[in-house]
Structure formats: structure tokens, C-alpha cells
């Protein structure tokens, strides 16, 4: 038996070396092929959508992570119940877990959190939760393998109906047949506030002194007023779901069906089963 | 990252469908944790994990030499060993390499980075 290579190293694990390996593995012809494919048709469009999500979702969460986290602590009752009703000993995932607010709700199940935002995952890890950095559209898990999943306040950040459907389908893919995912999205029909359109940019204000370090301050172009004030504004993209819209998305997916649907404090939710 | 998580992970590079599981752990650092023993929980986990992949991984790390097939009856001693393997070993750094396409997924500060570059999705 080969002895484990357990040694202490500086945390700067050979990043360069890893990058090199990554580059080596796709040979150049393969790369060219992929590039050619990207030039034609739809892919151009996709990269625009990705850019939008990068700018108005990923970058924003990276920047606001600590402040966002400090405001996210109260579990929503429907999510709380879904998790606490699970049998002990199940394995599941929280896709887009944010600061990990749902990862510790039921200590009798094993739950892996993932998020696209590494700064939020750092917070999860610090809190002792099992978590990793991954993209909802391409989950790094085996198919047909989990007992449950949750997707809380995530799907509304994707910018097209296709991408929202694909994100849900990807979660269903890794669930076992007969197992369920709970999905929450922001509703167009809200009690407190009326919106004119479904695709909106929602501002997020951060107290500058407490949450922003020099590095992130330099990253953003500040307006003159922002420089002088103590709050910094970021904007996040949301697609606000109309009644039935989330159900319709799930209905389009061959491997899923809606088993429960509802509205809870400005959100639509669906429990979908893997079929 | 615990070995339960590792057992659920699979390479997701587009077109990589052969030998994409389990990912090979390399250059790893381990920290030992303490977790409360619960035999039922461990049995339940084992029914959900891929035993062969677990045996292969623990062998290559030099942590344990598990039988090739999951025994039908698990002794108390074995359950405790599996409890340790599954819940008390935390991989804090290193990398996971796909045996199909050689993609490298780094683990830093206990966090696996499973993101792909655009051309790999
Ligand atoms: Zn691969």
C-alpha cells in the first residue's frame, strides 16, 4: 500500500502547476474545434448571457458576500420543514447554498452545499459545513445519486428561460428517481412592492467601512457621490417569476414533475420529483 | 472535504464519460476531525456510496485496506473504522485528477473548486 502523502505545505498550493496541467489536457486541435463551434450560431448569444450573469450576479456576490451573509440567518419555514421532514441518513445537496444558512438545519442528514461564489463558500467552510465551488448548470456529481436537493433563491438569477430550465434539469439529473427538490424563486406578485417588468436589477447597499477592503474598492468604478458616502451600491439581476411560470419550466423537463406548488413571503416555490 | 463528498463527485468536463469516477486524490493534506459515532447513519451512508470507489480511494491514500466488495455483515469494529474514514478525515488541500481526461480539480483550504473553463462545459 502506498503511504499517504500527508504533509504540511503553504496554502499557496502550486497554483501555476495546476493551471499548466489544465491547459495541457485539452490538446490544441480540440481547442480549435471548440472555438470554431463557438463562432457559429447560438453560442455568441450564450456568452452575452453569461457575461450578464457574471457582471450582475457572480461578481456582485463575490463583492457583497460578508455583508450578504450577515443578513441571511433566519430560515424560511417551508424550507425548514422540507429539510426537517427528511429521514435520518439521507444524502442531499443545496445548490446555490450562499452562506450555508440551510446546511446545518437537519443534523441527521448529510448535505453538500455548492455555490458559484467562492467567497460565500469560504463562509460555509468557516462555519464547518461541507461545501464546494460549482456551477449550477454543470454540477460535478454522479447522476441518480442524491436523496434530496434544495435550490433556494437561485434560479431567478439566470437570464433566459432556457438557462433557468437547464439549471433545474441539472439538479434533477443528479437526484435518484422518486426523490425531490424544493425550488424557491422570487415572485413578480409581491405584497410589499410592485414591479413594472419581470427582468430587473435590484440594488444592494454595503456599508463601505465595515465590509469592503481596499482590493474590492478598487475593483469597482465609484461615482463621486459613492466615494463620499459610506454606502456602496451594487446591482443584482433577478427574473421575477409570475404565477405558474416555475411549474411550467418543470413541466418542460422530461425527467421531472411538479408534486407541490405554493407561494410564501414574496416567493413562488415548487417541489419537483425526479421521474 | 470528507470522503463521502468525494464519493459523490464525478468529472463533468463535456464529453468525458469514461473513467470519470472516482477522481484520483493527489498531493493531499489531511486533518483529523472528531465526529459522534452513529452506526445507523454510517450504514445508511454505505448504502448510498459506491463501495468500490471508496475502497480504491482509501487504499490509494494509504488510509485503509477495505475488502473489494462491501461485506454483508459489518462488524462493530468495521463500522467504527468506516465512521472514521467517512466523517473524521477532512481533506484540506490537494487536487483531484480525472482518470478519463486528466482534468485537475484543486482543493484549497478544504474547498474543492469544481468550476470548468468555458470551453470545457
Ligand atoms: Zn474527465
Amino acid at each position: 500500500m502506498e503511504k499517504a502523502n500527508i504533509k504540511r505545505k503553504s496554502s499557496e498550493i502550486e497554483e501555476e502547476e495546476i493551471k499548466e496541467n489544465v491547459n495541457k489536457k485539452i490538446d490544441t486541435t480540440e481547442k480549435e474545434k471548440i472555438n470554431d463551434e463557438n463562432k457559429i450560431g447560438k453560442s455568441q448569444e450564450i456568452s452575452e448571457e453569461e457575461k450578464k450573469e457574471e457582471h450582475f450576479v457572480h461578481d456582485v456576490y463575490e463583492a457583497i458576500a460578508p455583508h450578504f451573509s450577515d443578513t441571511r440567518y433566519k430560515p424560511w419555514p417551508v424550507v425548514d420543514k422540507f429539510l426537517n421532514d427528511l429521514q435520518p441518513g439521507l444524502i442531499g445537496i443545496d445548490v446555490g447554498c450562499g452562506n450555508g444558512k440551510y446546511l446545518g438545519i437537519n443534523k441527521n442528514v448529510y448535505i453538500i452545499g455548492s455555490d458559484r461564489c467562492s467567497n460565500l463558500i469560504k463562509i460555509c467552510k468557516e462555519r464547518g459545513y461541507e461545501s464546494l465551488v460549482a456551477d449550477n448548470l454543470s454540477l460535478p456529481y454522479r447522476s441518480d445519486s442524491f436523496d434530496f436537493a434544495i435550490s433556494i433563491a437561485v434560479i431567478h438569477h439566470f437570464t433566459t428561460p432556457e438557462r433557468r430550465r437547464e439549471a433545474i434539469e441539472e439538479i434533477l439529473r443528479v437526484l435518484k428517481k422518486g426523490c425531490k427538490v424544493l425550488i424557491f424563486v422570487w415572485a413578480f406578485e409581491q405584497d410589499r412592492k410592485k414591479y413594472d417588468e419581470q427582468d430587473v436589477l435590484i440594488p444592494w447597499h454595503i456599508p463601505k467601512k465595515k465590509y469592503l477592503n481596499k482590493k474590492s474598492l478598487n475593483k469597482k468604478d465609484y461615482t463621486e457621490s459613492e466615494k463620499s458616502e459610506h454606502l456602496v451600491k451594487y446591482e443584482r439581476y433577478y427574473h421575477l417569476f409570475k404565477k405558474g411560470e416555475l411549474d411550467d419550466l418543470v413541466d418542460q423537463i422530461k425527467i421531472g414533475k411538479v408534486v407541490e406548488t405554493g407561494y410564501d413571503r414574496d416567493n413562488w416555490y415548487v417541489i419537483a420529483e425526479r421521474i | 472535504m470528507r470522503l463521502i463528498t468525494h464519493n459523490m463527485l464525478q468529472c463533468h468536463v463535456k464529453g468525458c464519460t469514461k473513467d470519470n469516477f472516482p477522481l484520483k486524490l493527489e498531493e493531499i493534506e489531511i486533518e483529523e476531525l472528531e465526529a459522534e459515532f452513529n452506526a445507523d447513519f454510517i450504514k445508511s451512508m454505505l448504502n448510498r456510496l459506491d463501495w468500490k470507489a471508496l475502497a480504491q480511494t482509501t487504499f490509494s491514500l494509504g488510509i485503509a485496506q477495505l475488502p473489494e466488495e462491501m461485506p454483508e455483515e459489518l462488524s462493530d469494529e468495521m463500522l467504527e473504522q468506516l465512521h472514521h474514514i467517512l466523517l473524521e478525515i477532512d481533506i484540506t488541500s490537494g487536487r483531484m485528477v480525472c482518470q478519463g481526461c486528466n482534468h485537475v480539480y484543486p482543493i484549497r483550504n478544504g474547498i474543492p473548486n469544481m468550476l470548468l473553463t468555458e470551453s470545457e462545459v
Side-chain angles (χ1 to χ4, degrees):
Chain A
M1 209 189 306
E2 199 189 312
K3 196 75 196 114
N5 198 358
I6 307 169
K7 53 184 175 191
R8 290 275 141 221
K9 242 189 252 161
S10 80
S11 65
E12 310 295 326
I13 159 173
E14 311 88 339
E15 205 166 331
E16 286 311 311
E17 189 190 312
I18 287 169
K19 270 187 201 147
E20 254 177 55
N21 281 334
V22 172
N23 290 336
K24 254 185 251 163
K25 64 150 225 43
I26 314 176
D27 67 11
T28 29
T29 49
E30 189 62 32
K31 255 187 193 162
E32 275 162 23
K33 213 174 90 195
I34 293 165
N35 282 341
D36 279 343
E37 279 167 9
N38 282 346
K39 275 178 205 148
I40 38 171
K42 237 179 118 186
S43 334
Q44 200 71 27
E45 209 179 307
I46 286 169
S47 99
E48 279 305 306
E49 290 149 7
E50 269 168 1
K51 260 186 227 158
K52 190 170 173 186
E53 284 164 17
E54 182 138 353
H55 184 71
F56 286 110
V57 181
H58 308 155
D59 288 352
V60 180
Y61 277 108
E62 291 292 2
I64 71 174
H67 183 232
F68 172 81
S69 178
D70 284 355
T71 62
R72 293 292 181 280
Y73 41 85
K74 251 200 211 143
W76 293 343
V78 176
V79 189
D80 196 65
K81 183 175 185 315
F82 179 85
L83 290 170
N84 276 316
D85 284 352
L86 296 166
Q87 279 170 44
L90 299 183
I91 301 185
I93 45 173
D94 181 350
V95 180
C97 64
N99 68 346
K101 122 175 152 172
Y102 293 112
L103 297 179
I105 297 268
N106 183 342
K107 305 261 190 273
N108 299 314
V109 299
Y110 189 86
I111 178 161
I112 305 169
S114 72
D115 205 285
R116 181 73 179 63
C117 170
S118 59
N119 283 340
L120 285 170
I121 291 300
K122 270 183 212 153
I123 295 171
C124 295
K125 184 66 197 175
E126 280 159 20
R127 299 169 80 180
Y129 298 137
E130 198 65 16
S131 50
L132 47 89
V133 181
D135 192 324
N136 191 157
L137 290 172
S138 180
L139 293 174
Y141 304 123
R142 296 192 270 130
S143 299
D144 310 292
S145 55
F146 289 100
D147 300 305
F148 67 93
I150 58 172
S151 161
I152 311 303
V154 178
I155 304 298
H156 54 217
H157 285 314
F158 290 99
T159 50
T160 67
E162 292 76 30
R163 291 168 74 78
R164 295 191 277 273
R165 179 178 48 74
E166 281 165 22
I168 297 171
E169 185 161 7
E170 180 64 350
I171 298 172
L172 286 163
R173 172 186 70 83
V174 301
L175 280 182
K176 286 188 221 160
K177 290 206 172 74
C179 292
K180 295 179 182 95
V181 53
L182 170 66
I183 307 166
F184 259 78
V185 292
W186 225 16
F188 183 71
E189 303 85 351
Q190 298 191 11
D191 298 333
R192 287 167 298 177
K193 197 167 173 345
K194 295 280 166 273
Y195 290 91
D196 296 329
E197 49 178 339
Q198 281 185 272
D199 295 285
V200 292
L201 292 175
I202 307 288
W204 182 278
H205 297 276
I206 306 188
K208 223 182 334 196
K209 275 212 182 100
K210 190 164 170 210
Y211 288 101
L212 295 180
N213 56 27
K214 263 225 171 87
K215 212 170 124 199
S216 53
L217 275 172
N218 290 337
K219 231 176 151 185
K220 190 176 183 289
D221 297 324
Y222 291 107
T223 59
E224 281 308 311
S225 69
E226 274 179 331
K227 273 179 198 158
S228 56
E229 281 167 23
H230 71 288
L231 289 174
V232 177
K233 184 173 125 181
Y234 285 87
E235 286 182 310
R236 287 179 298 168
Y237 167 85
Y238 279 87
H239 173 79
L240 302 172
F241 279 69
K242 287 192 172 166
K243 188 180 183 185
E245 193 180 339
L246 181 59
D247 308 56
D248 287 345
L249 272 187
V250 175
D251 285 339
Q252 288 168 29
I253 301 168
K254 276 197 190 118
I255 58 169
K257 70 168 185 205
V258 176
V259 292
E260 197 185 316
T261 179
Y263 179 89
D264 183 49
R265 38 196 88 195
D266 295 341
N267 288 272
W268 292 110
Y269 70 88
V270 147
I271 296 177
E273 185 182 314
R274 166 81 154 92
I275 49 174
Chain B
M1 179 190 68
R2 287 185 175 87
L3 288 175
I4 299 178
T5 302
H6 171 262
N7 199 279
M8 306 306 279
L9 293 177
Q10 175 179 286
C11 179
H12 57 123
V13 169
K14 195 179 180 183
C16 179
T17 49
K18 206 175 159 280
D19 300 326
N20 55 358
F21 168 81
L23 298 169
K24 188 159 185 268
L25 284 162
E26 291 182 358
E27 301 280 320
I28 63 157
E29 288 175 29
I30 286 174
E31 249 169 50
E32 309 252 331
L33 307 168
E34 242 178 77
E36 207 177 311
F37 178 68
N38 178 336
D40 290 336
F41 186 83
I42 297 302
K43 283 180 200 161
S44 182
M45 288 296 123
L46 292 173
N47 286 329
R48 290 165 164 80
L49 299 180
D50 185 300
W51 179 274
K52 277 210 170 100
L54 182 67
Q56 192 183 321
T57 300
T58 50
F59 180 77
S60 78
L61 295 180
I63 296 170
Q65 199 158 2
L66 299 172
E68 239 172 79
E69 303 284 337
M70 183 160 107
E72 280 184 22
E73 284 286 312
L74 291 160
S75 64
D76 288 350
E77 195 190 341
M78 186 148 204
L79 279 171
E80 274 172 38
Q81 186 194 13
L82 286 161
H83 162 78
H84 177 69
I85 291 169
L86 295 176
L87 294 176
E88 297 189 320
I89 290 178
D90 189 25
I91 297 167
T92 54
S93 79
R95 58 193 186 193
M96 293 179 279
V97 184
C98 172
Q99 300 301 285
C101 74
N102 293 324
H103 186 89
V104 175
Y105 299 95
I107 306 167
R108 253 167 278 169
N109 303 317
I111 301 170
N113 185 345
M114 306 306 289
L115 294 179
L116 301 173
T117 62
E118 235 168 279
S119 59
E120 296 164 330
V121 180

